[in-house]
Amino acid sequence: MPLEKHDLIHEMPESKDAIHALKTGNHHFAKLFDEYHEVDHSVHRIETGAENAGDEDLENLKKQRLHLKDQLSAMIREYES
């Protein structure tokens, strides 16, 4: 079973326009978006075996990714309302 990346556009396709608007118009959102992308990329590399890390490190990265996604999702919902 192939492992999926969890980039925000694929996670929230219905909010593609809002994500684009926030990325270009909100510096804080853009910074969090970039951080989310970097953490997601690291998780994907570990899960595919391209990079080695301990289970605890992987879990910490996944928690960080979830926390960032929660923040970004809240900003998207606020923008869309």
Side-chain angles (χ1 to χ4, degrees):
M1 178 172 93
L3 297 171
E4 292 184 28
K5 290 186 83 175
H6 292 269
D7 62 280
L8 210 54
I9 299 293
H10 287 98
E11 290 284 309
M12 305 175 74
E14 69 284 353
S15 298
K16 183 179 178 181
D17 293 337
I19 292 169
H20 176 72
L22 285 164
K23 275 179 32 182
T24 57
N26 183 316
H27 178 71
H28 182 62
F29 182 90
K31 181 180 173 193
L32 292 176
F33 182 90
D34 289 343
E35 188 176 343
Y36 176 88
H37 177 74
E38 289 174 20
V39 171
D40 182 52
H41 182 70
S42 294
V43 168
H44 186 70
R45 289 185 52 79
I46 292 167
E47 289 180 334
T48 59
E51 202 171 292
N52 291 326
D55 291 342
E56 187 175 331
D57 292 332
L58 178 58
E59 286 306 310
N60 286 335
L61 283 170
K62 287 181 176 182
K63 288 177 186 176
Q64 182 181 1
R65 179 177 66 185
L66 182 59
H67 179 68
L68 288 164
K69 183 178 177 184
D70 287 345
Q71 291 179 70
L72 291 163
S73 296
M75 293 174 81
I76 291 166
R77 282 193 306 275
E78 182 178 325
Y79 178 85
E80 293 177 329
S81 61

